[in-house]
Amino acid sequence: MNNRPFRFVLVTAVLALSLGIGTAWAQYVRHPHLHAADEHAEAAILQMKAAHNGDDWFGGHRVRAVQLLQQAREQMRQAAIFADHHHD
């Protein structure tokens, strides 16, 4: 059995994840409270996704909560970028 395609996908995924984590960390170096809040939001997203029991189980509120948490994470990222560029 040839594992090359699997290894390629695995290596690519790990590299992409590492790059994403490194980029996210760089944005929060000067903002530890934003970094902590982002980590909590990410953990909440993972918990909400793990709670999946069918699309109708939570009446669409679980899906909406995940969307809002993702939006909150983006706003935290934007806040860090803004602070870095406007407050030296």
Side-chain angles (χ1 to χ4, degrees):
M1 179 177 203
N2 187 350
N3 288 329
R4 281 187 179 176
F6 174 74
R7 274 190 259 157
F8 175 77
V9 170
L10 181 61
V11 169
T12 302
V14 168
L15 288 174
L17 181 60
S18 297
L19 179 61
I21 290 170
T23 302
W25 174 252
Q27 292 166 350
Y28 293 122
V29 168
R30 295 172 50 188
H31 313 289
H33 296 292
L34 288 178
H35 183 246
D38 181 62
E39 286 182 332
H40 288 295
E42 182 178 20
I45 289 169
L46 292 173
Q47 289 296 320
M48 293 299 291
K49 287 182 175 181
H52 182 64
N53 289 323
D55 292 334
D56 294 331
W57 187 265
F58 297 106
H61 297 287
R62 182 194 61 84
V63 171
R64 183 69 177 135
V66 169
Q67 291 169 344
L68 291 170
L69 285 162
Q70 290 168 335
Q71 288 176 15
R73 291 189 72 206
E74 176 60 20
Q75 288 301 309
M76 287 181 259
R77 189 179 75 77
Q78 291 296 325
I81 291 169
F82 180 87
D84 286 345
H85 289 92
H86 292 89
H87 305 286
D88 286 326

